[in-house]
Amino acid sequence: MASDLDDPLDFTGRVVLVTGGTKGIGAATAQAFLGAGADVVVCGRTAPAALPAAAGREAFFVAADVRDPAAAAELVDRTVERFGRLDVLVNNAGGSPDADAATVSPRFVEKIVALNLLAPFYVAQAAHGAMRTRPGGGSVVNIGSVSAHDPQPGTAAYTAAKAGLLALTKALALEWAPEVRVNHITTGLVRTGSAASVYGADGGASVAGVVPMGRMAVPADVARACLFLASDLSAYVNGADLAVHGGGELPARFLAAKSASGQV
């Protein structure tokens, strides 16, 4: 959100809040904004052993369960209290283990929807209050999933919540512009520690073969997209869905044909 397009990725003097910012994509995003000069607040339910750091500075940690509306509001209040403003919110907290839709408990469904849809709504509402009256407004970036577009087995509750997050992004973009821009990133498989059960023990080598770019994403790929959407480079981008998934996945029929011909 730099004011000068000669250096649009300079976030010096800006304040960024990253939910779930202590590991994986969230930590990489926090580090990217720290490296760009921003003051960064991260949250989680428990404090990590080490906080994201870059350029000789460290993120500020607030313990919060963002599924609780009161905790979400307090998180934003503490951010503004600490740094005097809030310019960017990255709604990154989310995720879900696989679960059989036929037998999964109602409690599980409620928790997954709360984390992946309700929590981003709650934090965004509070952030809007802090951003809308500030000169220059603010930017919200919601971290979504390719599951919202192409569901996979075992992800019914997660898919529904992420599809809701994408729709929520577009709805908030309509209501909150021009003071606050709201955009969405569709991520595919990302090489993080918590995703090991998805991409396998080979470190993702097999999965990489079905991605047009020839590799899985790393957290920094998503972090750089967050920098773009929060910067003046995207000043007229609102309600967008930016795909950061390497082109998606090659169609099964294509892979089957290649396999039959001995090419894979």
Side-chain angles (χ1 to χ4, degrees):
M1 297 186 68
S3 59
D4 187 350
L5 283 180
D6 288 339
D7 194 1
L9 297 181
D10 180 4
F11 284 79
T12 301
R14 310 292 176 169
V15 178
V16 180
L17 169 59
V18 183
T19 68
T22 62
K23 59 185 178 180
I25 293 171
T29 300
Q31 289 170 340
F33 279 106
L34 285 165
D39 291 311
V40 177
V41 176
V42 297
C43 73
R45 281 178 283 178
T46 57
L51 287 167
R57 295 181 307 115
E58 190 175 75
F60 176 70
F61 176 77
V62 176
D65 182 347
V66 289
R67 296 173 298 181
D68 177 356
E74 183 181 359
L75 170 63
V76 171
D77 287 344
R78 289 193 60 186
T79 299
V80 174
E81 179 181 299
R82 171 81 178 192
F83 294 106
R85 60 192 290 165
L86 176 60
D87 300 273
V88 178
L89 165 64
V90 179
N91 267 320
N92 166 76
S96 172
D98 286 354
D100 179 6
T103 58
V104 67
S105 72
R107 179 59 179 156
F108 176 89
V109 174
E110 291 170 1
K111 290 174 67 174
I112 297 307
V113 173
L115 177 61
N116 292 281
L117 176 57
L118 300 183
F121 200 164
Y122 298 149
V123 184
Q125 280 183 313
H128 174 262
M131 294 175 176
R132 64 185 176 85
T133 58
R134 191 189 60 75
S139 173
V140 177
V141 180
N142 292 323
I143 305 300
S145 169
V146 70
S147 292
H149 302 272
D150 299 301
Q152 300 294 320
T155 67
Y158 178 73
T159 289
K162 287 300 188 183
L165 181 63
L166 176 55
L168 175 65
T169 299
K170 296 179 179 180
L172 297 183
L174 287 172
E175 290 194 32
W176 292 355
E179 291 83 9
V180 177
R181 295 185 297 113
V182 186
N183 291 293
H184 181 276
I185 293 176
T186 289
T187 64
L189 286 175
V190 182
R191 192 193 302 273
T192 65
S194 62
S197 61
V198 177
Y199 58 71
D202 63 1
S206 300
V207 175
V210 305
V211 180
M213 287 297 289
R215 68 172 178 85
M216 290 178 60
V218 294
D221 292 315
V222 182
R224 286 190 286 266
C226 290
L227 286 176
F228 165 69
L229 287 175
S231 76
D232 277 355
L233 288 174
S234 64
Y236 198 65
V237 179
N238 185 42
D241 178 19
L242 177 59
V244 184
H245 55 32
E249 296 182 19
L250 295 169
R253 62 182 182 278
F254 174 80
L255 294 172
K258 287 188 68 175
S259 178
S261 64
Q263 297 181 50
V264 294

